[in-house]
């Protein structure tokens, strides 16, 4: 995986060398303590052959999940193939799939159990309202004619289309979160500005209530593979995505990854906020009030390769999780899970901690537990080419109970398939929890010679914690 940086400053910071093949490996140490017994299973167990489950949310006694067909790295980033699994009870029905030529990008579930979804082409973005079975009951073509007028820090000639709703590199650049029956939307535009919106919904239609500039447009670099078919943790396109969450009071949190981008430089120039010199790895996390006012921005500065994968409100804090590389070890281990708990209203440098479970670790999602603790999901036990970015075929599913400050409390026992495994999503459900997983998936090079190996199985599973 080789980054193509937007500026000489970033280029000097860390070009990744040529990828080489990593074979699946065994062994590895534990986390230093006996894990808890496996969570007891709540009455949900839905397996999907040939698709991974990347997101799951509870919907009353039912649930909604985003299933995705695995594709080669560039195709998956550009035009994801996703559909919704919608269950009124334990078992999913037909759900929703987008029309030909469109990609389903994200969804949100509302208290009524109606669903908002966003679909996109290379040039269009459309909001949908679905009933609790996944049938379309309203649609709205998203437009924003003021995008070309948003501030841009840098050389605007690097932007191919200042009016574009989405970046040329990917359709996967918009996220949704519920605000009761209404909706928050975050967008990475074709101008590389980061925007947040609130839409109200009443029978038959969406209406924009406010629009807030989260980050000005800046240069954003691309990453490409020199070898390898698949991108297990999505690191090739983290820089194009925007992370979003809301809380019950209507507050909004939005985050962007920095590497390889000029967002730190652009943020400091536009908002006149001091950031560390040579700050180009980590993330920026912005808090918005329910009326869209910008409260402030925290910055996660690690000084090493970092990928933030999810943010969640947790009481009066915002939690960010992901993975980072504090030490690149010769055996291909060294990646640790990353967790940062950021108090609401407290901005500036955010503290963070490493979670070192087994060889390589990644945290991919997190949700609150009722006792003030956290349930974190991810993957563990993998290795990554110490001279590049190829990830092994072997990886174990990971579920952790964390203290409210992000410290590790317990590692839970959870099963998986024979190849690469990830717990991609966790969410509350009916007094228990749901997990959405990728099981028996490929590593970076598993499908290089045989495209049939570019596959995984998805699982939606109900969990009752011990």
């Amino acid at each position: 995986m080789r980054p193509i940086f937007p500026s000489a400053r970033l280029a000097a910071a860390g070009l990744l060398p040529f990828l080489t093949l990593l074979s699946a490996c065994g062994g590895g140490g534990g986390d230093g303590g006996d894990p808890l017994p496996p969570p007891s299973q709540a009455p949900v167990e839905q397996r999907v052959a040939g698709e991974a489950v990347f997101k799951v949310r509870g919907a009353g006694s039912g649930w909604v999940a985003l299933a995705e067909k695995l594709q080669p790295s560039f195709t998956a980033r550009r035009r994801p193939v996703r559909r919704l699994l919608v269950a009124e009870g334990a078992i999913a029905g037909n759900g929703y799939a987008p029309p030909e030529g469109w990609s389903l990008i994200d969804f949100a579930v509302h208290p009524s159990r109606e669903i908002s979804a966003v679909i996109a082409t290379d040039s269009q973005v459309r909001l949908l309202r679905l009933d609790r079975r996944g049938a379309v009951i309203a649609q709205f073509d998203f437009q924003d004619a003021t995008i070309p007028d948003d501030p841009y820090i840098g050389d605007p000639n690097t932007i191919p289309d200042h009016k574009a709703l989405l970046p040329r590199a990917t359709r996967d650049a918009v996220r949704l979160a519920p605000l009761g029956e209404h909706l928050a939307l975050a967008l990475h535009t074709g101008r590389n500005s980061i925007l947040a919106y609130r839409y109200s919904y009443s029978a038959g239609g969406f209406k924009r209530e406010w629009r807030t500039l989260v980050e000005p447009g800046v240069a954003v670099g691309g990453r490409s593979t020199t070898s390898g078919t698949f991108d297990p943790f999505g690191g090739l396109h983290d820089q194009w995505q925007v992370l979003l969450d809301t809380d019950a009071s209507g507050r909004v949190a939005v985050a962007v990854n920095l590497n390889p981008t000029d967002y730190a430089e652009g943020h400091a120039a536009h908002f006149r906020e001091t950031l560390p010199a040579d700050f180009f790895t980590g993330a920026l996390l912005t808090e918005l009030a329910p009326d869209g006012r910008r409260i402030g921005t925290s910055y996660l500065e690690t000084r090493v390769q970092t990928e933030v994968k999810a943010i969640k409100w947790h009481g009066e804090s915002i939690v960010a999780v992901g993975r980072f590389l504090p030490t690149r070890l010769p055996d291909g281990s060294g990646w640790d899970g990353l967790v940062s708990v950021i108090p609401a209203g407290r901005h500036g440098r955010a503290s963070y901690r490493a979670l070192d479970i087994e060889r390589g670790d990644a945290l991919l999602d997190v949700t609150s537990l009722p006792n003030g603790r956290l349930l974190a999901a991810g993957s563990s036990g993998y290795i990554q080419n110490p001279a590049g970015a190829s990830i092994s075929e072997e990886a174990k599913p990971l579920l952790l109970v964390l203290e409210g400050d992000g410290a590790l409390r317990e590692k839970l026992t959870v099963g998986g398939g024979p190849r690469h495994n990830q717990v991609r999503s966790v969410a509350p459900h009916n007094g228990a929890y749901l997990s959405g997983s990728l099981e028996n998936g490929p590593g970076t090079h598993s499908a290089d010679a045989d495209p049939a190996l570019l596959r995984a199985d998805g699982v939606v599973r109900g969990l009752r914690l011990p």
Side-chain angles (χ1 to χ4, degrees):
M1 188 181 296
R2 184 171 59 218
I4 305 168
F5 290 92
S7 66
R9 173 181 63 78
L10 289 180
L15 287 170
L16 295 178
F18 185 85
L19 298 183
T20 57
L21 179 66
L22 285 180
S23 61
C25 55
D31 62 350
D34 294 330
L36 283 173
S40 61
Q41 188 172 317
V44 175
E45 176 82 12
Q46 176 91 37
R47 304 190 70 87
V48 186
E51 295 172 289
V53 173
F54 278 78
K55 179 178 178 178
V56 65
R57 293 291 183 267
S61 61
W63 49 268
V64 183
L66 188 67
E68 179 169 342
K69 178 182 177 182
L70 302 190
Q71 300 181 85
S73 300
F74 178 79
T75 305
R77 179 178 70 204
R78 180 74 170 152
R79 295 173 179 170
V81 177
R82 297 171 180 160
R83 65 186 179 107
L84 287 184
L85 308 175
V86 179
E88 290 196 83
I91 305 300
N94 291 331
Y96 171 81
E100 184 71 25
W102 292 76
S103 295
L104 173 63
I105 306 301
D106 196 18
F107 75 93
V109 177
H110 302 281
S112 65
R113 294 172 54 193
E114 290 184 352
I115 304 159
S116 291
V118 60
I119 62 176
T121 67
D122 291 345
S123 59
Q124 299 168 275
V125 175
R126 181 174 294 167
L127 286 173
L128 305 176
R129 191 74 162 203
L130 311 176
D131 69 15
R132 61 181 61 185
R133 295 176 177 84
V136 177
I137 55 178
Q139 60 183 20
F140 172 80
D141 286 335
F142 174 90
Q143 297 290 338
D144 188 344
T146 61
I147 284 174
D149 302 322
D150 286 330
Y152 187 89
I153 310 301
D155 180 5
N157 293 321
T158 62
I159 301 298
D161 182 358
H162 290 267
K163 297 180 181 180
L165 297 176
L166 297 172
R168 178 175 292 184
T170 182
R171 298 175 177 178
D172 194 15
V174 56
R175 290 293 181 266
L176 304 179
L179 291 165
E181 292 302 314
H182 309 299
L183 189 66
L185 181 150
L187 180 72
H188 181 139
T189 73
R191 189 178 167 88
N192 294 332
S193 54
I194 305 297
L195 301 171
Y197 305 81
R198 177 188 170 105
Y199 281 88
S200 60
Y201 179 80
S202 59
F206 292 94
K207 179 184 176 182
R208 184 190 299 178
E209 299 293 339
W210 51 253
R211 173 196 197 268
T212 300
L213 178 74
V214 177
E215 299 296 345
V218 296
V220 174
R223 288 188 172 106
S224 63
T225 53
T226 54
S227 68
T229 308
F230 186 59
D231 182 16
F233 295 124
L236 285 172
H237 60 287
D238 274 331
Q239 72 275 28
W240 301 110
Q241 295 192 341
V242 57
L243 305 174
L244 172 69
D245 196 37
T246 55
D247 77 347
S249 72
R251 293 180 294 186
V252 177
V254 183
V256 293
N257 282 286
L258 296 185
N259 191 17
T261 78
D262 285 335
Y263 278 121
E265 182 179 303
H267 180 97
H270 179 70
F271 292 111
R272 301 185 184 280
E273 294 180 357
T274 301
L275 294 173
D278 299 323
F279 173 37
F280 48 82
T281 60
L284 293 170
L285 193 151
T286 296
E287 179 185 346
L288 305 179
D291 62 2
R293 288 178 298 109
R294 183 175 173 273
I295 302 300
T297 298
S298 301
Y299 62 89
L300 186 62
E301 181 195 17
T302 64
R303 298 284 174 171
V304 297
Q305 194 172 345
T306 302
E307 300 169 4
V308 175
K309 300 298 187 182
I311 59 171
K312 289 290 175 64
W313 280 96
H314 177 59
E316 289 301 310
S317 298
I318 304 165
V319 181
V321 297
R323 69 176 193 142
F324 75 131
L325 186 59
T327 306
R328 189 183 293 271
L329 299 175
D331 66 355
S333 62
W335 284 89
D336 288 338
L338 178 144
V339 58
S340 176
V341 180
I342 304 165
R346 186 185 303 173
H347 305 114
R349 188 190 303 270
S351 63
Y352 63 91
R353 66 175 73 231
L355 294 181
D356 182 5
I357 307 300
E358 181 181 346
R359 297 189 299 181
D361 306 296
L363 298 183
L364 305 175
D365 199 13
V366 65
T367 195
S368 295
L369 295 174
N371 53 13
R373 297 187 178 115
L374 296 159
L375 178 64
S379 189
S380 185
Y382 64 89
I383 60 172
Q384 183 163 327
N385 181 0
S390 297
I391 295 166
S392 63
E393 185 174 82
E394 182 192 52
K396 301 174 183 178
L398 185 65
L399 274 177
L400 303 175
V401 176
L402 308 179
E403 302 289 1
D405 62 359
L408 176 63
R409 179 176 177 84
E410 300 286 355
K411 176 186 174 185
L412 303 176
T413 302
V414 57
R419 299 194 303 165
H420 191 100
N421 297 276
Q422 304 173 10
V423 184
R424 296 289 314 203
S425 182
V426 283
H429 179 244
N430 263 357
Y433 295 86
L434 292 169
S435 67
S437 298
L438 176 159
E439 294 188 356
N440 193 27
T444 301
H445 296 281
S446 301
D448 288 3
D450 182 0
L453 296 177
L454 187 61
R455 68 178 308 281
D457 296 324
V459 184
V460 177
R461 184 175 286 121
L463 305 173
R464 297 191 188 279
L465 301 188

